[in-house]
Amino acid sequence: MWLVIALSHCLRELDLVYESDPAEPDILPSNLFTCKSLVILKLAGEILLDVPRMVSLPSLKTLKLESVTYFKDGTLQRLLSSCPILEDLVVHLRAGETTRKLTVVVPSLQRLSFYIPRRHDTDGFVIETPVLKYFNLRDKNGNDHYCLIENMPNLIEAHLEAYFIDINNVIGSITSVKRLAICSKTTMLDEGFVFNQLEHLEVCLCTLVFSDQLAWLFKASSNLKRLDISLMNHHRPRGMAYWNQPTTVPECLLSSLQSLSWSKYTGKSHERDTVVYILEHALHLKSATIKSSESAVPKLEMLKELALSSRASAACRLMFE
């Protein structure tokens, strides 16, 4: 009742969290979907999203849907198609449920965060957001499912965490990015992809194929200026299997890379070989920061090993934290 009254008084922002028995989710009043004044809508918890036939949210710019239940396939897109100026969308799917087909087609969208948990059954998803500037995809579902993403020519920043096998379609749609953070379990990356505008790259250490990914990204990113190697989203390290040294020195090392940061450095041979290779070939490197715990590698030992390695850039400052 209170929500019906609030909606009748030109409500601009609604943040609703409903915690109850999952078997009896809360059903939203129909006048929510025709609220002309609503600018920000956030729904979370045991909420059944059943979008009526009559829906119009002409002022809505921010929409966050976290672990809600969708009445049927097509519910999400029915809601999105009635938000003509939507700019920011967060979709966090619910674990343990099924959504056969997921469609996000929003011509006005500028920011999209999309999370598929490990225990969510889906056939796949379609994303068409031509003016998107920020994209965060966390797809932890390891089951086979399709992924169709249209090109995002205005994309500036992307965070990609994907467990499914073939991520070529995702990579192909984000090649305009200037900043990219990536964690993927696969090395199936198309040799034709090029990141001409990529300046800042963060690569996760948690995968055994990290070396192959880094070598591929070096080759594809000729204008890279900053490289951060870390563990994303509290991931656990699995140990770098080897260092896949490129057959030819990547263009970014010869012409553009200025900053290297390596977090959770252990000093193991493959990690050391990777750092040494970068130091030996990055002609314009200005700083290299190595972060490690004292228990992982003695600081004095780390200092000796890396400080004594040759550096292609005389201006490079090697720092340890």
Side-chain angles (χ1 to χ4, degrees):
M1 179 63 70
W2 68 267
L3 182 53
V4 174
I5 296 173
L7 289 167
S8 67
H9 286 77
C10 298
L11 188 68
R12 290 179 56 84
E13 181 174 351
L14 175 62
D15 190 342
L16 181 61
V17 179
Y18 187 76
E19 297 179 358
S20 182
D21 184 353
E24 298 180 2
D26 189 32
I27 299 176
L28 300 168
S30 59
N31 65 333
L32 170 63
F33 300 99
T34 55
C35 182
K36 298 187 184 302
S37 61
L38 199 60
V39 177
I40 299 172
L41 176 60
K42 299 178 181 179
L43 304 174
E46 311 300 337
I47 296 174
L48 177 62
L49 191 62
D50 183 6
V51 180
R53 186 168 297 178
M54 294 295 293
V55 53
S56 176
L57 296 167
S59 302
L60 195 67
K61 290 187 175 182
T62 298
L63 175 61
K64 182 176 181 180
L65 304 171
E66 186 172 358
S67 298
V68 302
T69 298
Y70 298 92
F71 180 67
K72 61 181 179 180
D73 284 353
T75 294
L76 176 60
Q77 184 52 36
R78 173 180 283 190
L79 177 60
L80 296 178
S81 63
S82 301
C83 306
I85 63 169
L86 188 66
E87 296 178 353
D88 190 349
L89 173 64
V90 177
V91 176
H92 185 142
L93 296 176
R94 189 183 187 88
E97 292 200 350
T98 298
T99 312
R100 296 261 62 94
K101 180 181 179 182
L102 294 158
T103 303
V104 177
V105 178
V106 187
S108 60
L109 201 65
Q110 296 186 29
R111 294 178 62 87
L112 173 60
S113 296
F114 196 50
Y115 174 61
I116 304 177
R118 186 175 280 105
R119 294 188 302 107
H120 187 96
D121 190 15
T122 181
D123 291 333
F125 57 90
V126 176
I127 297 176
E128 188 175 336
T129 50
V131 299
L132 204 68
K133 295 180 180 179
Y134 172 88
F135 183 39
N136 188 336
L137 173 64
R138 296 181 65 197
D139 185 350
K140 291 191 173 184
N141 192 322
N143 298 327
D144 187 29
H145 56 283
Y146 66 84
C147 161
L148 299 174
I149 302 181
E150 294 295 324
N151 190 33
M152 303 172 180
N154 299 301
L155 199 64
I156 297 174
E157 182 173 349
H159 296 252
L160 175 61
E161 181 182 343
Y163 287 11
F164 53 87
I165 296 174
D166 187 1
I167 63 167
N168 283 335
N169 189 269
V170 182
I171 294 293
S173 67
I174 64 171
T175 53
S176 66
V177 291
K178 293 185 177 180
R179 178 173 181 174
L180 172 64
I182 184 170
C183 177
S184 173
K185 308 302 180 186
T186 178
T187 57
M188 294 175 63
L189 298 170
D190 195 308
E191 290 293 327
F193 294 141
V194 176
F195 293 93
N196 284 327
Q197 301 183 64
L198 185 62
E199 296 182 352
H200 184 181
L201 172 64
E202 180 181 354
V203 186
C204 187
L205 268 168
C206 79
T207 172
L208 292 173
V209 295
F210 160 77
S211 177
D212 289 333
Q213 290 177 349
L214 183 60
W216 181 87
L217 287 163
F218 270 158
K219 182 179 178 181
S221 312
S222 59
N223 294 307
L224 188 65
K225 293 182 179 179
R226 176 177 171 182
L227 172 64
D228 294 337
I229 297 172
S230 63
L231 288 169
M232 293 168 52
N233 298 321
H234 308 291
H235 292 182
R236 295 180 180 179
R238 298 190 179 182
M240 185 176 171
Y242 54 90
W243 163 231
N244 184 13
Q245 181 170 314
T247 53
T248 58
V249 180
E251 179 62 28
C252 64
L253 296 185
L254 298 176
S255 63
S256 60
L257 190 66
Q258 299 178 11
S259 172
L260 166 67
S261 176
W262 191 308
S263 300
K264 305 296 183 181
Y265 181 80
T266 66
K268 293 181 180 179
S269 60
H270 301 312
E271 292 187 6
R272 184 183 65 248
D273 291 346
T274 307
V275 174
V276 168
Y277 178 84
I278 295 172
L279 292 175
E280 289 180 343
H281 294 91
L283 295 175
H284 301 276
L285 197 65
K286 295 180 179 179
S287 65
T289 304
I290 310 300
K291 304 174 184 179
S292 176
S293 64
E294 190 69 29
S295 59
V297 51
K299 195 166 186 178
L300 181 59
E301 179 183 332
M302 180 173 64
L303 283 166
K304 286 181 179 179
E305 286 184 341
L306 296 180
L308 294 176
S309 63
S310 62
R311 296 177 218 172
S313 171
C316 177
R317 292 178 57 207
L318 185 58
M319 296 171 282
F320 301 91
E321 297 181 3

